[in-house]
Amino acid sequence: MSDILVHTEAGVCSITFNRLDKKNSITAAMYGAMADALQAAQDDAAVRVVVFQGHETIFSAGNDIADFLNQPPAGEGAPVFRFLRGLAAFPKPVLAAVCGPAVGIGTTLLFHCDLVYAGDNAAFSMPFVNLGLCPEAASSLLVPQMMGYHRAAEALLLGEPFMAEAALEVGLVNKVLPPTEARSYAHTVAAKLAAKPLSSLIETKRLMKKGQAAQVQAVMAEEGASFGRMLREPAAREAFGAFMERRKPDFSQI
Ligand code: COA
C-alpha cells in the first residue's frame, strides 16, 4: 500500500501518512505524492477542503533521515519544496488531525493549516538545530509570530518538544481531544466547511493570508537554500549519522 493515501469523499480530500513502520517519516517520493495531491485538490472543483492526518500514535517523524542523506533536495524543484510552496499557497481550507509526535515538518506544516485538532498525546517539535540544520517551511517567520519570540526560541533554538495543551495555549491548535476522537472531529469540521460556499471560503482565506503571502514564499526560499546547504555540512552529517547508529551526536569539533 502507498505511503501517502489520498481519498476524496463528499468534498473532503484526506491526505494520510501511511508509513507506520518508519513512524510516518517522509521521503522525497512522499513529498512528491503530496505535492501532486494538493495540485489535484486545487484543480478539482469537487474538492472543497483538505485534511492531513496520520495515525493515533504518530503524526509524522518528519523528514526520512536516510532518504535525506541519500538524495538531499536539489534546488527549488525538489519535491519537498514543491510540496511546501503548494501548501503555503493552497487556496481552499486545510485542516490537520495530529496525534502523537509531530517532528520537524510534521509540526511546521501545521503553521500553513487553517484549523488543527490534536490528540492529547500530540508532541510537537522542531529539532532543526539539534540536527545541524535551520528552520524550514517559513517557520523562522511564523513560529515567532504565533508563539512570541522567547517561546519560539525555546522551540527552535533548544528544539524542545511541547505538548498539545501548550500548543492550544499559543494558538497552534484549535482543540485538544482524546487521540481516538481527533480525526473524526476534524472530519466533522471539514464536512461543515464543505457545505459552505467555496468561493467565500477561498476569498476569506485569501484576504486573511494576503498580507504576508509573498513574504512567506520568500522566507521559505531563503530557508530552503540554507537548509539544502547545511544538509551537506559536517553538523548535519554527524547528527544524521548518530541517529542511524543510535548514538548521541558529538558536535564538540564542529
Ligand atoms: N527518518 C527515518 N527513519 C525514521 C525516522 C526518520 N525521521 N524516525 C523514525 N524512523 C524509523 C527508525 O529508524 C526505526 O526504524 P527501524 O525499526 O527500522 O529501526 C523506526 O522508524 C521506529 O523508530 P523509533 O525511533 O524506534 O520509534 P520511537 O517510537 O522510539 O520514537 C520518534 C519515535 C518519532 C520520537 C523517533 O523515531 C524520532 O525522534 N525520530 C527522528 C525524528 C527526527 O529527527 N526527524 C527529522 C526532522 S528534520
Side-chain angles (χ1 to χ4, degrees):
M1 205 186 272
S2 171
D3 292 338
I4 294 291
L5 304 178
V6 182
H7 175 71
T8 298
E9 194 172 328
V12 178
C13 172
S14 307
I15 300 180
T16 308
F17 297 115
N18 182 46
R19 196 179 178 228
L20 205 46
D21 59 327
K22 293 290 179 189
K23 301 287 170 183
N24 288 342
S25 56
I26 310 172
T27 59
M30 290 164 73
Y31 282 120
M34 291 195 292
D36 292 346
L38 280 179
Q39 188 59 58
Q42 182 168 335
D43 295 344
D44 183 352
V47 173
R48 304 167 81 87
V49 181
V50 167
V51 179
F52 280 96
Q53 56 198 17
H55 186 261
E56 269 170 36
T57 60
I58 177 108
F59 183 61
S60 170
N63 292 307
D64 180 301
I65 287 175
D67 190 62
F68 242 45
L69 275 176
N70 293 338
Q71 42 173 345
E76 293 204 351
V80 58
F81 299 134
R82 212 157 54 80
F83 165 68
L84 285 173
R85 280 196 307 274
L87 177 62
F90 194 74
K92 303 173 189 178
V94 180
L95 281 66
V98 183
C99 297
V103 186
I105 202 161
T107 290
T108 58
L109 77 80
L110 303 174
F111 288 85
H112 301 281
C113 294
D114 302 295
L115 295 161
V116 179
Y117 298 102
D120 58 18
N121 62 345
F124 305 88
S125 59
M126 295 173 279
F128 304 114
V129 165
N130 303 338
L131 294 166
L133 296 169
C134 68
E136 34 80 314
S139 55
S140 62
L141 172 73
L142 300 173
V143 176
Q145 219 169 59
M146 181 176 283
M147 298 173 56
Y149 184 82
H150 290 99
R151 277 192 286 211
E154 221 164 39
L156 285 172
L157 294 180
L158 282 170
E160 293 192 342
F162 52 98
M163 299 301 292
E165 287 299 335
L168 181 68
E169 193 199 322
V170 297
L172 174 59
V173 155
N174 290 86
K175 194 176 174 66
V176 178
L177 299 129
T180 48
E181 292 170 25
R183 203 155 135 166
S184 62
Y185 191 88
H187 279 271
T188 304
V189 177
K192 232 191 239 183
L193 284 167
K196 296 185 190 292
L198 182 58
S199 55
S200 291
L201 291 172
I202 289 176
E203 188 58 5
T204 302
K205 179 167 174 173
R206 188 188 72 78
L207 289 164
M208 286 199 289
K209 296 251 179 188
K210 79 166 181 165
Q212 63 173 24
Q215 194 186 2
V216 164
Q217 295 288 348
V219 170
M220 217 181 251
E222 185 179 351
E223 290 172 345
S226 297
F227 195 97
R229 171 178 50 77
M230 293 175 87
L231 258 180
R232 296 169 173 81
E233 290 178 353
R237 295 264 151 199
E238 168 58 16
F240 286 12
F243 177 78
M244 305 302 287
E245 292 158 20
R246 293 188 175 271
R247 61 171 172 81
K248 266 190 180 322
D250 175 6
F251 298 120
S252 60
Q253 305 304 313
I254 298 167

